[in-house]
Structure formats: structure tokens, C-alpha cells
Amino acid sequence: MNVACAAVFFTAALVVAGCEQTVDMERYRGEHTLVVNAVANTDTTIMASVSATWFYTDTQKPAPYTDLNVELLVNDQSKGLLPYSDGLYRSDVKPKAGDRVMLRTVAEGRELTASDTMPDGVTIENVDVKVEKVAGPGGVQITPEGVVSFDYDMAYTYTISFTDKTPGSHYYYVSVSSPTFRVPTFDYSYDPHFVATTQEINQSLSFLKTVSTNGFPFTNAVDSTARHTIVLVERSAPFMYFAAEDRERVVTIFSITEAYYRYMVTLLANFDVTWHGDMTEKGLVQPMKIFSNVSGGTGIFACTTPERVRIALPMFSEQPIYY
């Protein structure tokens, strides 16, 4: 019996030993790639950074390139070099919708170019918001007026209507921000535009959630008209809405290029590993290519045209009870 047990333990030890393998990561270290990340907006400064990729085992990121000649061209006309300040190359040139914008530079003897066309914007026609109490975890909030106890959340349903200025396929990114430090949570699962984006992303991840404190990309592929209506739900504890300034919101629909949309989708498809995980806990995973419109390197030149409206959320009619 003891011999049999010893044989079992010996066999198990061989199996465990057979599963172990030392991987020399340095064998996979290749030449680094130059990276350009830039954004051109019709109402803000053009900003760009030039850096390089680093290897997984590196303990420190390489420093960005700060002394390059980065040239800006709009419709093939040079607008001069972008000076470097506060960690970025910047230009005060504000391209218009339809302008072809290009950045061009040379780093380590390699030419880098990134270009795209400024998209046409939209017109936000109406933002309707309805408020209701929904089941929530509950809690207690101490205010100058006293202690407030609650067992529910507030849900604000936004119905946003907007119109394209030109026909064709369009790409967007919707964002709702607050001037206060509190960032609400939004649920994008109520609208087919966002569900279509999620289905596109879920070709890689089947469990991606549509609840986020950030905005969300979408397209006009689900409808063929120039006028669109999207629905999203903001939800948080009731004390987040007591003060009038806490109910102020800025609704922004960014018209974005197809390249920028594809870049966002591939980033979201890598969400779990790239943004929310430590690869040492997951082991080696299958790499996924991130969309890029940079020639001579990688990265993204994001061109956007925003449309913004300011609104005030309605106050729920039921007043808090202080203790």
C-alpha cells in the first residue's frame, strides 16, 4: 500500500514538474516602436506627444521626445512647427470641419506622419431628462442641515436628440460631465446605438459592461435618417443631487473620425488586460493589434468636432428627511 502511494506521489510530482517552464522574456524583446498620440479639435489647441514603446519587463518608461521638429499641415499647407511646452507639442491653429490635418516629424532617423480629416459636427436639438427613485444600497449622509438616511438611488434618464449636418456614415462619442468633482455613473445598455458598439467590441470580450463613468462611442449604423435619438441613464445616491450646482451637466457629442472610433473599439476590446489587470496574474495572453493611423510608427491622430449644451437636472419632488 505504501509503495502504491509512493508511486502516486511520484507520478504527481512528475506531472507538476512537466507543467513548469522558465520563459526568458528577453528573447522576445524587439526593437522599440515610435508612438505618436495627438488630438485635433475644432475649438481647442492641437496637442501631440511623441514617445516610444517599452518592453513588459522594463522597470521605467522611456522619456518622451521633447526636441523634435513637429510640423503641422492643414490641407497640404504648412502652418509651422509645434513648440513643446508642459509635456506636449502644441499649436493654436483651429482647423475647420472638412480640413485635412497632418503632423510630420523625424525621430531617430525615422519619418513619422499622422493625418486625418476633421469630421462634420452635429446639432443637438433637445435633451430631455426624467428622474425617478430606484432600488439602491442605501446609506447615510451628513449635511449641514443634519443627517440624511436613504435606501434608494436616483436614476436620471437622458433622451438626447441630434441631427447630422451631412449625409453618410458618421461616428460619435457622447459624454456627460459635471462641473463639480463628483463624476456620476452612466448605463448605456438602454439604447441600440450603444448596444451595437458593444456587440462589435464583444467579438473579443463577451463580458464587457456598458456601465461607466466615462463616455461611450457609437455610430449611425443602426438608423438611416439624419436625425438620431440616444438614451442613457445616470444613477447615483440621492445626496449627490441636493445642491443646485451638483445637478449642472454639460452634454457633449463629439463627432469623431472612423479611425478614432476604430482606435477606441480596439482599446475597449483590450479593456480587461490593458486597463484593469496585471498580466502577472493572467499569464501570457494572445496579443491584440490596436488600430493606428500613424505611418512609420504607431498611435492615433484623433480628430474631433464637439457640440455641447448645458442643462440642469430636475430636482426630485420628494425632499430629504433630516434626523
Side-chain angles (χ1 to χ4, degrees):
M1 189 70 172
N2 291 337
V3 173
C5 290
V8 170
F9 288 132
F10 179 72
T11 303
L14 287 178
V15 171
V16 172
C19 292
E20 294 180 356
Q21 182 178 0
T22 300
V23 178
D24 182 8
M25 298 296 293
E26 293 301 317
R27 288 179 52 197
Y28 301 96
R29 179 187 293 273
E31 188 175 334
H32 67 254
T33 303
L34 297 175
V35 180
V36 175
N37 285 317
V39 59
N41 194 313
T42 54
D43 64 358
T44 59
T45 302
I46 293 177
M47 295 173 285
S49 68
V50 183
S51 58
T53 56
W54 65 94
F55 194 57
Y56 173 64
T57 58
D58 291 343
T59 58
Q60 187 173 1
K61 291 170 55 177
Y65 298 90
T66 61
D67 57 354
L68 302 177
N69 292 325
V70 179
E71 183 182 15
L72 170 66
L73 298 94
V74 178
N75 298 325
D76 297 325
Q77 299 296 313
S78 177
K79 300 297 181 180
L81 300 179
L82 278 64
Y84 188 87
S85 65
D86 298 327
L88 294 168
Y89 295 92
R90 303 172 186 268
S91 171
D92 291 330
V93 173
K94 292 181 175 61
K96 304 182 300 296
D99 284 347
R100 182 75 177 173
V101 186
M102 174 183 288
L103 293 176
R104 183 168 63 191
T105 190
V106 175
E108 298 185 4
R110 288 178 279 179
E111 184 177 22
L112 288 165
T113 60
S115 63
D116 212 337
T117 300
M118 301 299 296
D120 291 308
V122 302
T123 300
I124 299 178
E125 297 177 345
N126 185 60
V127 179
D128 180 66
V129 182
K130 289 182 169 52
V131 58
E132 63 178 334
K133 288 169 52 174
V134 295
V140 174
Q141 174 69 9
I142 300 175
T143 73
E145 292 78 14
V147 177
V148 181
S149 177
F150 54 90
D151 59 358
Y152 58 90
D153 277 351
M154 304 305 301
Y156 288 86
T157 301
Y158 294 69
T159 303
I160 306 170
S161 299
F162 67 96
T163 302
D164 298 320
K165 293 182 178 179
T166 57
S169 299
H170 294 286
Y171 303 85
Y172 321 93
Y173 182 86
V174 63
S175 173
V176 180
S177 59
S178 168
T180 66
F181 70 93
R182 299 185 177 105
V183 179
T185 298
F186 292 90
D187 187 347
Y188 298 94
S189 64
Y190 295 87
D191 189 273
H193 296 83
F194 305 124
V195 172
T197 299
T198 303
Q199 291 171 344
E200 185 174 356
I201 296 167
N202 283 355
Q203 294 176 7
S204 301
L205 285 182
S206 60
F207 53 85
L208 186 78
K209 296 181 179 179
T210 52
V211 176
S212 173
T213 57
N214 302 311
F216 209 81
F218 65 103
T219 77
N220 65 344
V222 300
D223 49 25
S224 57
T225 62
R227 191 174 189 272
H228 315 283
T229 299
I230 56 175
V231 177
L232 51 140
V233 178
E234 173 183 336
R235 177 171 171 167
S236 195
F239 67 83
M240 298 279 281
Y241 306 100
F242 288 167
E245 59 269 22
D246 291 338
R247 298 194 304 275
E248 296 177 6
R249 295 290 182 269
V250 177
V251 178
T252 306
I253 295 181
F254 294 90
S255 295
I256 62 178
T257 60
E258 181 180 3
Y260 197 15
Y261 175 81
R262 298 299 173 199
Y263 177 78
M264 287 185 182
V265 166
T266 52
L267 278 185
L268 288 170
N270 284 274
F271 188 89
D272 187 59
V273 173
T274 306
W275 296 346
H276 271 241
D278 183 347
M279 283 189 63
T280 59
E281 298 174 358
K282 303 177 184 298
L284 297 178
V285 298
Q286 183 67 27
M288 296 181 63
K289 185 177 180 180
I290 300 297
F291 183 91
S292 171
N293 61 355
V294 175
S295 176
T298 191
I300 189 69
F301 187 15
C303 295
T304 73
T305 301
E307 171 78 356
R308 299 181 177 92
V309 295
R310 292 182 175 272
I311 65 169
L313 298 180
M315 181 65 181
F316 192 65
S317 57
E318 181 179 316
Q319 296 301 310
I321 301 174
Y322 299 101
Y323 297 92

